[in-house]
Amino acid sequence: MEIRVRRLILVAALMFFYSLTFAQPYKRLTVNDFKGTPANNGDGAIAYTNCTIVYSYSARPERDYYVLTFYIKLIMNSDRSWMNLSTIGSREMLEEILKHEQGHYNISYMEQQELLRTVGRTVFRADYHRVADNIFDRIEAKYKKLNQNYDTDTQNSTNRVQQHSWDAYFQQRLNYMPIAKN
């Protein structure tokens, strides 16, 4: 029994090492991150943050499990993110808009970090394709809903009380999150 426990610890250590191979550090957004053209869709939006999480993995069989090497990258799509500077009347308003858009980036960053932690704790067997896809689909749906709730609660940053509440939530989550280092 003691040998088996050591083997499981080694498997868990290998899974953690292989799963955290590719991640980038946290990013603080600036006006320069918004290079896209403002949308003219009539919804009155002042800014839009577009982030994508790309992932891939390779698998290598070991005894009765598979070692998966994951590549999970968060991309801030500056060319698809935009800010309508002509509608921003003051430095204070610009800072409020940037703070709100940082929240959208934070949600994407939290999603990436949860993906990294989850795949790092998962032992993959022969059905690793299905298990990995389920992990990504479940976590993506969770953070898509969180993004929607964020915009609804803050009324796209116009409800300052709710925006402040969300800012505190993000700060707390980021403070206690094991930040991946590259």
Side-chain angles (χ1 to χ4, degrees), residues 27 30-38 48 76-83 85:
K27 176 178 180 50
T30 69
V31 173
N32 296 331
D33 291 310
F34 299 87
K35 299 180 191 289
T37 304
Y48 173 72
M76 170 62 185
N77 299 306
S78 293
D79 60 327
R80 287 188 248 153
S81 299
W82 53 265
M83 192 173 288
L85 295 173

Side-chain angles (χ1 to χ4, degrees), residues 6-89:
R6 285 186 189 149
R7 183 171 155 222
L8 289 175
I9 291 171
L10 177 61
V11 169
L14 282 172
M15 296 300 295
F16 182 77
F17 174 77
Y18 284 109
S19 296
L20 293 180
T21 304
F22 301 104
Q24 68 280 352
Y26 178 78
K27 176 178 180 50
R28 179 66 59 190
L29 299 181
T30 69
V31 173
N32 296 331
D33 291 310
F34 299 87
K35 299 180 191 289
T37 304
N40 189 9
N41 55 10
D43 69 356
I46 295 173
Y48 173 72
T49 300
N50 185 295
C51 294
T52 305
I53 295 177
V54 294
Y55 73 92
S56 61
Y57 57 88
S58 60
R60 180 175 49 87
E62 287 287 328
R63 297 183 182 118
D64 61 338
Y65 61 92
Y66 284 77
V67 174
L68 273 62
T69 302
F70 285 88
Y71 175 82
I72 302 171
K73 184 174 182 177
L74 169 59
I75 300 169
M76 170 62 185
N77 299 306
S78 293
D79 60 327
R80 287 188 248 153
S81 299
W82 53 265
M83 192 173 288
N84 191 345
L85 295 173
S86 67
T87 62
I88 299 173

Side-chain angles (χ1 to χ4, degrees), residues 90-149:
S90 67
R91 180 76 183 153
E92 179 184 80
M93 185 177 180
L94 176 62
E95 288 172 9
E96 291 297 318
I97 299 300
L98 271 173
K99 187 187 305 182
H100 180 77
E101 295 309 310
Q102 183 70 48
H104 288 293
Y105 175 85
N106 291 347
I107 291 169
S108 295
Y109 186 79
M110 291 173 358
E111 177 181 353
Q112 179 213 30
Q113 294 300 302
E114 185 170 337
L115 285 166
L116 289 165
R117 286 190 311 275
T118 302
V119 298
R121 293 189 314 248
T122 303
V123 176
F124 294 93
R125 305 278 183 213
D127 63 345
Y128 65 87
H129 290 292
R130 183 186 59 77
V131 172
D133 286 346
N134 285 342
I135 289 170
F136 284 98
D137 291 345
R138 178 179 48 82
I139 292 173
E140 180 181 39
K142 172 184 173 181
Y143 285 94
K144 182 178 182 179
K145 182 67 174 161
L146 188 63
N147 239 321
Q148 292 168 344
N149 290 344

Side-chain angles (χ1 to χ4, degrees), residues 1-6:
M1 178 109 177
E2 187 175 333
I3 293 172
R4 186 175 186 177
V5 169
R6 285 186 189 149

Side-chain angles (χ1 to χ4, degrees), residues 160-180:
R160 290 195 176 187
V161 172
Q162 283 301 96
Q163 183 66 52
H164 179 72
S165 177
W166 277 90
D167 294 341
Y169 166 76
F170 292 135
Q171 190 60 52
Q172 182 180 27
R173 286 288 308 270
L174 293 171
N175 284 344
Y176 293 101
M177 184 177 292
I179 305 295

